[in-house]
């Protein structure tokens, strides 16, 4: 009797795992429907000095591993570049930039005008990376200025998230 009960449970688990793998990786979390919406969320989090929200708006290690790493040239076996090296470098640079951004802009209220990506866009299998984000905003004094609050954004399945 005990084995008979375990059979369907294990079968159900196997079916769930098969279904999950057939549907592909989980979607990116905390995304926005456009680059403009992403920038507005970032600016709101910066004005609130909300480091947790800023981190949530950026790729995390699991998302990078599932969605980005397999498509990168560095992931090719002949390159012999470990995931940990690439992720560690990206994380270190992003953490430094986050601290600098909050130090320079935290608590300020900017009115969003536009965003462009001066570094262009690179298309990969299943996603695109838009590099060198340039935000045009108006400060409290009404003067328009360009800011570089984050480096790049990922666009996947119509959803946008901070890449770095």
């Amino acid at each position: 009797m005990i084995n008979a009960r375990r059979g369907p449970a294990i079968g159900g688990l196997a079916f769930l795992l098969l279904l999950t793998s057939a549907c592909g990786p989980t979607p990116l979390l905390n995304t926005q429907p456009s680059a403009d919406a992403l920038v507005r969320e970032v600016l709101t989090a910066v004005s609130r000095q909300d480091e947790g929200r800023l981190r949530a708006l950026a790729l995390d290690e699991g998302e990078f591993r599932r969605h980005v790493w397999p498509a990168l040239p560095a992931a090719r076996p002949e390159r012999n570049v470990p995931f940990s090296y690439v992720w560690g470098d990206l994380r270190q640079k992003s953490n430094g930039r986050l601290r600098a951004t909050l130090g320079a802009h935290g608590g300020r209220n900017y009115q969003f005008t536009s965003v462009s990506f001066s570094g262009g866009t690179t298309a990969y299998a299943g996603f695109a990376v838009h590099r060198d984000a340039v935000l045009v905003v108006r400060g409290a004094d009404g003067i328009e200025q360009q800011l570089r609050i984050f480096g790049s954004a990922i666009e996947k399945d119509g959803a946008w998230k901070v890449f770095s």
Side-chain angles (χ1 to χ4, degrees):
M1 279 279 190
I2 294 174
N3 288 340
R5 285 186 173 178
R6 286 187 183 166
I10 293 172
L13 178 59
F15 175 74
L16 181 60
L17 289 172
L18 179 62
L19 181 62
T20 302
S21 65
C23 294
T26 58
L28 298 174
L29 300 176
N30 298 304
T31 59
Q32 298 300 313
S34 67
D36 288 2
L38 177 61
V39 171
R40 284 186 177 94
E41 279 293 313
V42 167
L43 290 173
T44 297
V46 167
S47 73
R48 294 178 181 163
Q49 299 182 33
D50 188 345
E51 184 175 331
R53 179 66 178 147
L54 288 168
R55 288 188 186 281
L57 290 169
L59 281 176
D60 65 26
E61 182 176 1
E63 290 170 328
F64 184 81
R65 182 184 298 274
R66 286 187 306 274
H67 298 276
V68 176
W69 177 249
L72 294 180
R76 293 184 194 141
E78 68 272 14
R79 295 282 177 97
N80 200 27
V81 178
F83 169 84
S84 60
Y85 173 79
V86 175
W87 171 251
D89 185 55
L90 178 65
R91 183 184 62 218
Q92 182 180 13
K93 289 175 182 173
S94 292
N95 285 341
R97 180 68 184 204
L98 175 61
R99 285 189 295 277
T101 295
L102 286 174
H105 302 284
R108 295 184 185 196
N109 292 310
Y110 294 114
Q111 180 184 3
F112 172 70
T113 302
S114 67
V115 61
S116 62
F117 297 92
S118 64
T121 298
T122 303
Y124 295 92
F127 66 94
V129 176
H130 305 271
R131 295 182 318 280
D132 300 324
V134 179
L135 287 55
V136 179
V137 300
R138 289 192 191 281
D141 57 7
I143 297 173
E144 195 170 88
Q145 57 186 304
Q146 292 184 350
L147 300 178
R148 294 184 182 263
I149 298 280
F150 60 92
S152 55
I154 182 171
E155 179 185 7
K156 180 172 176 43
D157 301 326
W160 288 73
K161 190 163 187 165
V162 173
F163 187 93
S164 65

